[in-house]
Amino acid sequence: LGHADALLKHDELADLRLGGGTGAFCPQATGTLAFLDGLYAELASTFPQTDLVHIGGDEVWGFSADPRCAEMVAAQGEEGVYAFHLSNLAHLLKKRQRTMAFWGDEILNHPRTAEALPRESVVFDWHYGDQRDYPSIAFFQERGFERIYVCPAVHGFFDVYPQYRQAFGNIRGFIEAGVQRQVEGACCTTWGMNRGGNAENYLYGLAYAAECSWSSRQCERGFFDRRFAAAWLGFEAGDASEDLMDHAFWFAWQKHEGSPFWQQLFRVSEFFFGDV
């Protein structure tokens, strides 16, 4: 629904744009469902091993900005338009023996939307903060959603280097909260790498997320670091592997609670990694 610029920037799809912008599909545009149905058909045939198709649906609102949605907004509110669209997508996927997965943030922001959504849909509940608890899991369960994935992140936003202090707390805390609430699984996201080829910087955090997801009782960082150093870098347990990992990945936060000065500089990432 949202974050659709990569598709909607093409002039052939101009009629599907919400409010004339390229950020989101218009749920009431004549060709929206037919276009997405064709896309889902291609996905279903390309990935026969999964019963899920993730439709997105995060960080999008403002349907009243499009005249084609005005009548529905007046009758049902913006929540009604969102629920109408997601319910249509769930129907398209069901006929292809697929279940709809979606990001849960807009349901948290607009709880009334949940009333009209099919409960067999899979919620991908994303939060990227190092929090004490994650009450959103209970929110979805109390509304009848039984299939939930907790989604932490290895993220750097527009930074060159991942914010590992925050990410490791987020990954461990969110996955442990999911285990306590007996959710279906975890899906670690990467929110970064917008400019520049720094994917290698994220592998350490993604491996930690895999470790926590595979064995949630083994989320202690020292245990993980020793295994990571042995498996990826060839160091044995007696080689002070934890200190090596500190120097390799955590050096930026050894004496700073927040982001270091050099990282603040790199937030102007267009200068270093843009198309200039």
Side-chain angles (χ1 to χ4, degrees):
L1 179 57
H3 296 296
D5 302 79
L7 287 170
L8 294 179
K9 69 180 181 181
H10 298 288
D11 292 338
E12 296 91 330
L13 301 179
D15 290 342
L16 308 186
R17 298 170 183 168
L18 179 69
T22 60
F25 283 90
C26 174
Q28 292 288 76
T30 304
T32 290
L33 290 181
F35 175 79
L36 293 175
D37 191 30
L39 177 63
Y40 297 157
E42 185 175 341
L43 287 170
S45 63
T46 304
F47 299 100
Q49 70 273 29
T50 179
D51 69 327
L52 296 182
V53 171
H54 199 305
I55 59 88
D58 61 317
E59 298 180 325
V60 60
W61 214 248
F63 304 110
S64 58
D66 194 302
R68 294 168 291 184
C69 297
E71 184 176 346
M72 181 172 283
V73 170
Q76 302 181 29
E78 297 234 345
E79 294 90 345
V81 179
Y82 187 89
F84 166 81
H85 184 64
L86 263 64
S87 296
N88 280 336
L89 300 186
H91 176 73
L92 292 180
L93 291 169
K94 187 174 183 179
K95 74 178 185 180
R96 300 189 183 282
Q97 292 77 52
R98 297 295 186 277
T99 301
M100 179 180 74
F102 66 95
W103 297 118
D105 57 293
E106 292 297 3
I107 311 301
L108 292 172
N109 294 333
H110 308 278
R112 194 165 66 89
T113 306
E115 299 171 7
L117 295 181
R119 292 304 186 269
E120 66 270 19
S121 301
V122 183
V123 180
F124 277 59
D125 183 21
W126 64 271
H127 299 282
Y128 299 159
D130 182 4
Q131 303 167 205
R132 290 188 174 183
D133 54 34
Y134 294 86
S136 55
I137 303 172
F139 171 94
F140 289 112
Q141 290 177 331
E142 290 165 1
R143 283 158 178 79
F145 293 98
E146 297 182 358
R147 300 187 66 183
I148 299 170
Y149 281 72
V150 294
C151 303
V154 181
H155 58 111
F157 294 94
F158 291 99
D159 303 342
V160 169
Y161 194 74
Q163 299 176 16
Y164 273 134
R165 178 189 292 276
Q166 181 172 325
F168 268 56
N170 172 229
I171 290 167
R172 178 173 182 170
F174 206 179
I175 290 177
E176 288 182 343
V179 170
Q180 292 172 8
R181 298 292 306 190
Q182 297 182 317
V183 303
E184 182 167 314
C187 175
C188 185
T189 72
T190 54
W191 211 119
M193 299 184 285
N194 295 65
R195 297 178 173 86
N198 62 342
E200 294 82 357
N201 289 340
Y202 288 75
L203 294 178
Y204 169 63
L206 291 172
Y208 179 69
E211 174 78 8
C212 293
S213 301
W214 183 258
S215 180
S216 60
R217 297 180 182 179
Q218 301 292 355
C219 288
E220 194 271 320
R221 191 192 135 212
F223 174 78
F224 167 74
D225 278 355
R226 289 190 293 274
R227 297 182 68 206
F228 186 91
W232 287 75
L233 305 178
F235 293 105
E236 298 302 325
D239 292 331
S241 54
E242 291 178 68
D243 289 339
L244 290 168
M245 300 304 289
D246 272 352
H247 284 89
F249 293 103
W250 288 82
F251 67 95
W253 290 276
Q254 293 308 306
K255 297 180 180 179
H256 300 277
E257 288 300 318
S259 297
F261 174 71
W262 64 265
Q263 191 179 42
Q264 299 291 340
L265 289 177
F266 280 136
R267 288 192 176 182
V268 191
S269 52
E270 292 85 351
F271 178 80
F272 293 95
F273 294 103
D275 296 327
V276 180

